[in-house]
Structures are given as C-alpha cells and as structure tokens.
Amino acid sequence: MSTPTIGYAAMLEQFHPTEAVRLTALAEKHGFSGCMAADHFQPWVPAQGQSAFVWNVLTAVGERTRGDLGPGVVCPSFRWHPAMVAQAAATLEAMYPGRTWLGLGVGEALNEHVVGGYWPEAGERSRRLFEAVDLIAQLFAASREGRDTRWSGEHFRMETTRLWTMPEQAPPILVATAGPVNARRTGRHADGIITVGAPHEKVGMLLDRFAQGARDAGKDPDGMTKVLQLHLSWAPTDEEALANALTEWPNGGMAFPKADIRSPHELAQMARLVRPEDFAGRMVISSDPDVHRATVQGYLDHGFDRVYLHNVGRNQREWIEVFGREVLPALRR
C-alpha cells in the first residue's frame, strides 16, 4: 500500500488566474500534489465568470509548486494547429523537467467555434484528434533527435520543421475520453488516458478498452498513466453543497452531450432545468468528508495513478483544509 497522488483541479472557468494559482499553491501545502487546468475560451455558464489562458496559468503554477502540472485538456485542432500545441507543451516541460504532461481531447464548440470554422460531427472530431496525437508524437521524437520532420495527413499539414526548444524527455501525451471507441484508440496512440468520474461499470469498461488498445500496439497497459478528474461538491452542510452544485456547476447535472453547444448563455438556459436528482451517479454532493473519501478510494481501487479533485463551490480554501486533514491521509493505492 502507498499514498496515492491526489491533485488539484484548477478551474479557470470559475476563478481569476491569480486566485487559481494561489489556490493551487495552498492545495499543495495541504497535501495535494499536482495541478490540472482546462483550456477553455469561455466558461460553461456565465455565472462561473472566468476563462483564462491555460499556458500562462500553468507556468505560474510551475513557479510556485513542486508537483506535476498539465492542461486537462487542450483540443489540438480548430483554434490550434497541433504543432503549436507541441511547442507549448515542450516549452513547459523544458522549464519544469519531469513534472509536466500534455492532456488532449476532441474539444467542444463552446471553445473551438470562436475562430469561425466548420464544426464537424463527432466522428471527424475524433479522427482529427488522433491524427494530431500522431503528429505531435512524431514532432517530439524528431526534435529530440535534432532533426526536421514534416506531416501531410487527412486534416493537418506541417512543412519541414522541428521544435528548437525541446526538453530532454518529451512530456507524456494523455488523451481524454469517455467512450469505448476512443478509449481503445487512446491505448494505441497515446501514453495514457484521462477520464472523468462516472459509474464504476463505465469506468471499468473504459479502462478495459484502453488496455486492449495498448496491447494492440504492443504496449503494457499496466505501465501507462491513468488519470481521473473528479467533480464533487463539499460544504459544511448538505444543503450548501447542493446549492453550490446547482449554482456553480449545473453542467455537472446535464446528462446529454454538450460538445455542440456554442454559448454559455445557451447552457445557462438549459441549467434552469437541472434538478438535484440529475447529479445522481455523476457527482457526489455531501457534507461528509468520509463519503467523498470512499468515492475517491473506489476510483483508486480501479487502478488510477492520479486523481485531480474539483470542488465545485467557491469555498475552496475551507474545502482544501478539510480534505487535506480528513480525506487525503486516509487514501491508499
């Protein structure tokens, strides 16, 4: 048995970047290790109120903490060409060697539509993602060897180039997925998987598919990174915890896909339909730290290497202190 790695999910949709950095540093002082921060152009709903640039925030976090850090997640398409994502990730790793990772995902229209391009259906978005993963991996490998490379694929072109600032070791590429097809592709193409809290049977299925994909590619899934982001709501009373969920994170109670929604104002209208029972099986809402401890432990027992916790309320400092004292010391792998 060992003490697991439990990180802090810095929600840039909710907090000003300087506050997010301060909270991440505070979390580390209370036993959290590592930071996951999302690449959002807009918040989910207007009440969340923020959406800072993730790479700036991660750099500031790197200066003020000692744990791991990475974007959870960047869409390497639409707003970004994969080569630009590779450059940002390589630079972060060059500055904080051995601490960073690159989280990638298919993206949502909420963030990606701002450049005004065509927003394709889910199948094409997945194909773009995994082509981008391969392009980034190729660019990392060539740059580490000090040589140029190029790419001409279905969705991306890259003329002959390299990353001139390249760390000794490339950051691992982790792919976020919540579906079986992409979980298997992730095992084949990436270094690890990121997923979000869900019923255990679904999580187990995703990890099984991920392992199948890894074995398809001749890799050992047991040695690959498995990351969970867990949204939760804790407050001193159950009533406060529920109010925080409904007010601050109503998107957590929306069971339908949200990838095609373009505006926080549209989601705010949908949020008016969210009821307390909609969070069941999707997010633990409780004032009891032991209820949350048991939930986190259940995911660790599934084999996750790292779990990044997001308390959806504004009561971050109180939550960090309570979990640092009553939850983290009791967790085991």
Side-chain angles (χ1 to χ4, degrees):
M1 300 288 284
S2 61
T3 301
T5 299
I6 306 297
Y8 179 72
M11 283 295 135
L12 305 187
E13 305 98 303
Q14 289 180 283
F15 298 99
H16 187 277
T18 55
E19 179 67 3
V21 173
R22 282 195 292 263
L23 289 170
T24 305
L26 178 67
E28 185 171 89
K29 291 180 180 178
H30 286 273
F32 289 77
S33 179
C35 174
M36 171 187 282
D39 175 28
H40 266 244
F41 195 88
Q42 303 185 97
W44 290 102
V45 293
Q48 291 167 356
Q50 295 285 333
S51 211
F53 190 59
V54 68
W55 297 105
N56 301 47
V57 175
L58 288 173
T59 300
V61 167
E63 289 295 311
R64 291 161 177 81
T65 64
R66 296 176 296 174
D68 70 86
L69 58 153
V73 293
V74 172
C75 175
S77 187
F78 309 109
R79 280 183 299 145
W80 299 111
H81 187 281
M84 296 302 299
V85 174
Q87 184 188 30
T91 298
L92 196 69
E93 175 64 18
M95 295 174 69
Y96 309 110
R99 295 176 55 190
T100 79
W101 42 271
L102 174 57
L104 302 176
V106 295
E108 298 103 2
L110 184 72
N111 305 303
E112 310 308 327
H113 89 283
V114 297
V115 296
Y118 169 65
W119 181 246
E121 294 184 356
E124 181 178 328
R125 299 199 300 268
S126 293
R127 292 193 298 274
R128 292 176 73 100
L129 169 64
F130 287 102
E131 183 180 331
V133 169
D134 290 345
L135 188 161
I136 292 169
Q138 179 176 304
L139 184 55
F140 280 166
S143 301
R144 282 189 60 216
E145 296 171 359
R147 59 180 177 83
D148 290 349
T149 189
R150 62 185 298 275
W151 186 273
S152 180
E154 179 184 1
H155 300 289
F156 302 107
R157 293 182 61 84
M158 181 180 69
E159 294 190 0
T160 303
T161 192
R162 73 181 76 171
L163 297 172
W164 290 89
T165 296
M166 185 66 200
E168 186 174 330
Q169 296 294 327
I173 300 172
L174 314 180
V175 169
T177 181
V181 174
N182 278 1
R184 189 162 184 170
R185 287 176 177 171
T186 297
R188 288 199 299 266
H189 292 262
D191 301 309
I193 185 173
I194 301 173
T195 193
V196 295
H200 283 225
E201 57 270 19
K202 179 178 180 181
V203 168
M205 177 273 294
L206 290 174
L207 292 180
D208 286 345
R209 293 297 182 90
F210 170 74
Q212 291 172 12
R215 287 190 288 267
D216 290 344
K219 298 183 283 189
D220 178 9
D222 293 336
M224 298 173 71
T225 302
K226 304 169 190 71
V227 172
L228 181 82
Q229 183 188 56
L230 186 62
H231 303 288
L232 60 94
S233 187
W234 174 89
T237 68
D238 288 349
E239 292 76 15
E240 289 176 83
L242 177 58
N244 286 345
L246 288 167
T247 302
E248 297 289 342
W249 207 254
N251 43 298
M254 299 177 186
F256 53 85
K258 297 177 281 293
D260 295 324
I261 299 170
R262 285 166 162 73
S263 169
H265 302 288
E266 293 176 25
L267 276 163
Q269 293 302 311
M270 297 173 190
R272 298 171 64 182
L273 304 176
V274 174
R275 299 292 179 263
E277 57 268 23
D278 296 328
F279 292 98
R282 300 177 60 81
M283 193 167 80
V284 174
I285 300 172
S286 176
S287 61
D288 186 349
D290 200 53
V291 171
H292 293 283
R293 181 210 57 77
T295 300
V296 177
Q297 186 63 57
Y299 288 114
L300 292 171
D301 293 343
H302 263 295
F304 286 98
D305 305 295
R306 298 195 296 272
V307 179
Y308 296 89
L309 302 182
H310 168 220
N311 181 47
V312 301
R314 301 279 171 171
N315 56 333
Q316 295 293 295
R317 294 174 184 274
E318 185 182 19
W319 168 71
I320 286 168
E321 292 171 4
V322 168
F323 270 53
R325 182 177 64 248
E326 300 183 33
V327 175
L328 303 191
L331 298 171
R332 295 290 182 268
R333 281 197 76 236

